Amino acid sequence: MFEYMGYSIAPWGLDIVVYFFLIGTAGMTFVYAAAPAVFGSVFNGAAKSMLPFQKVGMVISLVLLVICLPLLITDLGQPGRFFYPIIYFHWTSPISWGSLFLPLFGLCIIGFIFASTNENAGLMRTTGILGSLLALSMPLYTGLDLMVNQTRELWNNPTIPLLFVILSMSSGTAVVAVTQLSRGQLNQKASEFLHVFLYISLGVTFALFLAEWVVLNYGTGEEQQAWEIINRQFGFSYWGLTFLIGILIPLAMIAVPKLGRKPTVLTVAAVLSAVGAYTFREVLIYAGQLTQIDF
Amino acid sequence: MPVGLQAEPSLGVPGKKRWAMVIDLRRCIGCMSCVCADKAEYDVPLGVWRTIVKVKDTGRYPNTKRHFMPRLCNHCDNPPCVRNCPTEATYKHEDGFVLQRYDRCIACRTCIAACPYNARHVLPKNRDRVRIGGVVDKCTFCNHRVEKGLTPACVQTCLGRSRIFGDLNDPDSEVSHLVSRHKTVVLKPEKGTHPQVYYIKPDRAQTEQVFSSPQSSAARSDADAFYRHNRGSKFFSGVL
Amino acid sequence: MSESCKYSRRDFIKLGSALGAASGAVGFGSRRLMAMEEALGDKDFSPMTGEERQAVPYTCLACNIQDGGMAYIEKGRIVKLEGNMDHPNTRGKLCAKGNAGFLHVYDPDRIMTPLLRTGKRGEGKWKRISYDEATTLLAKKLREVIDRSQATQDPGILNEIVFKWGRDRNGGTVGRFMHALGSNTMLNHTNICESSKKVGLESSWGPDIESCDWANTKYILNFGSNILESAYFMNPNAQRLVDGVVGNKAKLVSFDVRMSNTAGFSDEAYFPYPGTDSAIALAICHVIMKEGLYDADFIRDWTNVTAEQLIEHLKPYTPEFAEDESGVPAKDIRRIAHEFASTKPATTFSYRGPCKHLWGAYQEAAIHMINVITGNVEKKGGYCLPRGMGWPQPEPTPAKGKTPSPIAAPPLYPLASHHVSTHAPYMVMNGEAKVSVWMSYYDNPVYTYPSSHVWEHFLKDEALVPFLVSFSPYMSETTELADLIIPDVTYLERHDPESMPSGLYPCLSIRQPVIEPLGGTQEFRQSLIDVIHKVDPDGSLGAKRYFAFDTVEDWMKAHFDNIPGLKEDGGWEFMKKKGVWPIYGEVDKRTAKIVDRNGNEVDPDYGLYSKEIADADMQGAEIDENGTITKDGHAIGIRMDSKNRVGFGTPSRRIELYKESYRKYGFNPLPVYKRLPSRDKQPSELVLTTFKVNVHTQSRTASVKYLAELYHKNPAWVNPKSAAARGIRDGDLIRVSSSLGYIVTRAHVTEGVHPDVVAISTACGHSAYGRLAQLKNKLQPAEWAQGGDPDIANNVWWNDKGVHPNPIIRLAVDPIGGSQGWYDTLVKVSKAQPGDKYGDTKVSIEAALEDYQETLRYAYTGDIHRKKHKEVDVDWDNLPEPVLQMSGH
Ligand SMILES: Nc1nc2c(c(=O)[nH]1)N[C@H]1C(S)=C(S)[C@@H](COP(=O)(O)OP(=O)(O)OC[C@H]3O[C@@H](n4cnc5c(=O)[nH]c(N)nc54)[C@H](O)[C@@H]3O)O[C@H]1N2
Ligand SMILES: Nc1nc2c(c(=O)[nH]1)N[C@H]1C(S)=C(S)[C@@H](COP(=O)(O)OP(=O)(O)OC[C@H]3O[C@@H](n4cnc5c(=O)[nH]c(N)nc54)[C@H](O)[C@@H]3O)O[C@H]1N2
Ligand code: SF4
Ligand code: SF4
Ligand code: SF4
Ligand code: SF4
Ligand code: SF4
Ligand SMILES: [Mo]
């Protein structure tokens, strides 16, 4: 007789990856849109360059959120029970926190839109600050959701939430750049503003990518197994889409500020980085599960 | 100590029970009675298992050996599956059982992601007899039997008497005797889960099964069929 | 069973009643301090509601070990099976098949109504009819034969009524039915099962099997038995084998041609060339005898040979000779011989590996001899006689038919006391016998026989088999071909009496409907009662009076209400409640031994052969010069140490290592090794071996979902060396070809198989037996089928049902035991050819007919027989003439 198997499945699939990506993007889009109201004239009023994006950004953020909700809910085996994490709140579970923050975040968006149409600056500021914090919590909690799995070594490190926040910054930047470019509103100031953030996010992503690479090579057996899987199954996603297209090329494009601040260049770079932001998440989520399938 | 569990670890706590299983690998003959008894007890559908027995052949002809490795939920004293569950649908009983509340579970599969032993599964909705489905399930240590003073079903039928069950906090119990008199191992102790299934005298080939993927083409093609069957179904989209 | 068993039965009924009386008090006495605190069984609760499930005892028949079971029922549905804690040999445990057994009841493709064929044979077109219509039709067909016989005054015509069964656990029902009709043409499946083992053993010491005291032994030599997965008696033996090997530190040495779970579990495993076990066994005997390690007293007192005679006979069988034949190193054989002779107690066990070859009976007799010369017979921890019990047949019982039936007892096989059922189709095709009505019960030759395509060909032919009836509840490969199907119920819904010598505690057990038969189905025995009542409505034929039971339960009462001891305990009512009798004690939770109320082990009885004959039974007995005691023309015991002892169930009441019955037909009276044709194969050929697996039974579990999930395909095991020589890699599509044709399957390249062997499990590869067995589970159920189980409809994940090897296995029968040589077919294994598809099977009928002619040449009248037995001291020109005999067992 040969090996009997109790086969196992990887619990999280495409829905979750897309959700993680979109909710992070929604969060960062909100942060950009709320920036003028939140930061006002700090940093020499740099955030003011986002004023033209304010309303449309809020709407985009809301739309992304509205896409996310059914994605998240239908991914559940029991969609009708989507509110259970709130009524049976479990404080050690990131999903519980996420479920709580998610509707609050939605309320903030609506509140902000409401405030901005009513030109209520105070409310805009409150919902902007609160919403930005909640917006940041979106990629953060999805990262934590992986990180708290103490038994999955690929996930169980504190850089994951950081990475997810940073990746959201890339995709959020892409949303702003694409929207504003297509509306003909990506002016020099806005480009400079976005360039700073894209630069930061790509730089940090690059650093984290290298760190991850070291861990995967020098880490425990499980991490090395993940390395195996990545190179075998997700080689193209990892090296091609994430590293080359998602990090190296955009980084090179914006490395020289003069060039990088050109609206079109910046937008292309931001879009590429968003691709990387998606595939990096995908690789980490999938490979992290596959290491355990046969255990 | 541990946070987010509904019950503190009970191992060694006086006045509390700590149910545990000892699996004496010298006595396991790979008969699969445990697997079938468990499936019957709970109407466990095809494609998911509360317990399995892995098989591994080693050695070169004519010096070959066969090793069996029964697996089930470890009813960890520090269960990560419980901590991450957003609804407390999975919870830890003060006597050590890690259990499911089916009516609460939203099937977010966080607990599956958290369990380092692959002890959990999503119950398909199409079952023969029992109508509960679309939620996560796992071995319950047969708490409904144990509470009535019976051994778990897999222990009851174990042909080799390889599976022994009892209260580790009771120094006179057979599990206590076995654990104190034999060298035992638990699986992946480094994960900090404090598993409560103890294995007697495994050799390396046996423990390594815990970390090995299907080797033979026959087993691999079965694995492929399994993943193909599950692909495109509600969960697991694209991963496998 | 044999005569010696008859003795022990009576003995044990007495013993049983004493214990039974005590047990009333034991059952629920004070609980000893147990290591495992929880109760091991006897109760079950619903995990959903917490309610206690209703418990009804029964006897398992998921395979043929007949373990005691307890069915748990929730709202009229069987939800769970467990071992019966009161069964002394089962000890509360069931194997995987036993645990999954309730799925037989709820098989969505179970046949729920009698069916009458409307299309061509095998076309699958059926008309649903009632049980009444069905039994009337069968009765009419039977009556036609009887009328024809009466009209021509030729009782031989009655033998055209054929009854063929695989498993008959009805306690003599079939014999009663057939004899009532006047036919002797009864055929079982035993010649494809293990009949050469039986014939090798019965002629040696009486009964057809040994019962090893596994738990108490110190050394076990296992020849080709897969104790942990199959064999008689899988579950009870496996339990006690583990107790012996792990608990009692016994050493287990196995011989098999591949790594079974048993070989993999053994302290030492050897892989002999197929069919060479007797060379090894004889070499072990050679060493023991030559070096004086034998039990001189036992050989002198209890065998019909002398030590000197044996030493002389065994001279050629040196370990070096055995090494040449088997490949097992001589030094290991020598060491094992020393270990076996010096370790007490010790025992051998053997099953189909050695005996399912040409001359398999010699192999079994040779292995048996190891125990005899070392005096391990009937010792605690040794090689014991089987312990069964009997139940009386309700009187009156019909006499046998008037004329012997050639297919039931082929004259060329005078020693084959368990029929030679493989030959039936060939004999009918050759005009040696005629068939009018063929009844098939618990039998699936189109799947389970060698050259299985011949059976399909035969049963499809309406000229040869004019009327074919099947009693199967499942649409098997054979049942598919029937004209009329009268479905039986499953083993959990019917009545059977049982007694299996599956351990050292003899007992009786029963099967009873644990739920009402589903959907108005009717048990086989009731159908037979109905048929007889319709064949002989007014009793004028004289058949009806043997079936004067209103219900099957009445019939069971007739078996059980008058057994001494049991009668006092409550007879049938006791059996219904407890399922088993006598109750010896409780299962100790820590040791699993059967203990009395004080926690002391209830000792089995040993030394059965030296029990004394009661003075009353000696009345009118005579003692001859060899000490054999005879009474009414039967040997009943032996005079030894001035005592009258019962001895063994042989003509001399001693163990007959020398078998005069063999010599008479030109076979060697002493155990010998005969080099098989397969031993001289070409290097390009391999020996095809088939095997059973722990989670399947014969042809009948591929439709049981839990078991099919565990094991559903059977790739061919090939050793890496032999694979490399043929350019085959693991998983490759291959052709396995014998002289009959070929199958296309896949290679499983594994270190666990002899390089000269290709091994294919017999469990998979159905072309019938319901949708799951054929992986057609997406189809709708047939209109006659039960239907149901959304689990099967939706969740079957595997996509391979295996490829069945039997079509390419050649008919080849042991001329002594009449047993099919399953493991003698030579095959070529090669990469598949272009266009070959997985599962392709192409075989020739003509080649199979040639095999039949060829195998007759080994029979005692054949030319090869003479060539192979030159050494035998017999008048070769005056061998006994072949004669038609009344069939044996
Ligand atoms: N699980 C399960 N148990 C069963 C049954 C079942 O179908 N399934 N059926 C029952 C019945 S009816 C029977 S008859 C018994 C049969 O029980 P067993 O005889 O134990 O089983 P088999 O698989 O028929 O054959 C036994 C072994 O013989 C090996 N073998 C083949 N050729 C040789 C040889 O030349 N020498 C040696 N030493 N070994 C050889 C095979 O590899 C195989 O492992 O099992 C009974 N128990
Ligand atoms: N290649 C190969 N072939 C083998 C063997 C092998 O080792 N290798 N082993 C051989 C051995 S040991 C044996 S004993 C034979 C067994 O050969 P069979 O006796 O032919 O096989 P079973 O599978 O027991 O078949 C019984 C049939 O009974 C019917 N049946 C099932 N349940 C019930 C029921 O409840 N009531 C009734 N009335 N009928 C029922 C089904 O149609 C089933 O197909 O197979 C032999 N075939
Ligand atoms: S799947 Fe159910 S049990 Fe598991 S974490 Fe989610 S809610 Fe909890
Ligand atoms: S084995 Fe897995 S499911 Fe069971 S308690 Fe431990 S972590 Fe939870
Ligand atoms: S303890 Fe109970 S639930 Fe767990 S594997 Fe055993 S039988 Fe199944
Ligand atoms: S029932 Fe016991 S002996 Fe059999 S496979 Fe399971 S653990 Fe092993
Ligand atoms: S060995 Fe298994 S299938 Fe056979 S009678 Fe026993 S429990 Fe039933
Ligand atoms: Mo058999």
Side-chain angles (χ1 to χ4, degrees), chain B residues 37-38 40-42 129 142-146 148-154 156, chain C residues 39-56 70-74 77-83 99:
Chain B
D38 173 71
E41 182 79 35
Y42 299 97
R129 176 165 64 76
C142 285
N143 72 307
H144 72 289
R145 287 172 58 93
V146 175
K148 299 266 171 46
L150 294 167
T151 57
C154 57
Q156 195 284 330
Chain C
L40 276 171
D42 268 355
K43 272 201 179 75
D44 197 23
F45 298 86
S46 160
M48 306 319 304
T49 64
E51 266 170 54
E52 185 160 359
R53 290 165 165 171
Q54 184 199 349
V56 187
M70 190 68 81
Y72 291 100
I73 294 147
E74 228 176 276
R77 197 189 146 112
I78 311 167
V79 291
K80 177 81 194 302
L81 303 173
E82 242 178 48
N99 270 294

Side-chain angles (χ1 to χ4, degrees), chain B residues 27 39 47 145 156 217-218, chain C residues 40 44 243 709 713 730:
Chain B
R27 301 188 70 110
K39 283 223 161 190
R145 287 172 58 93
Q156 195 284 330
S217 159
Chain C
L40 276 171
D44 197 23
D243 287 346
E709 179 174 50
K713 61 183 180 187
D730 192 26

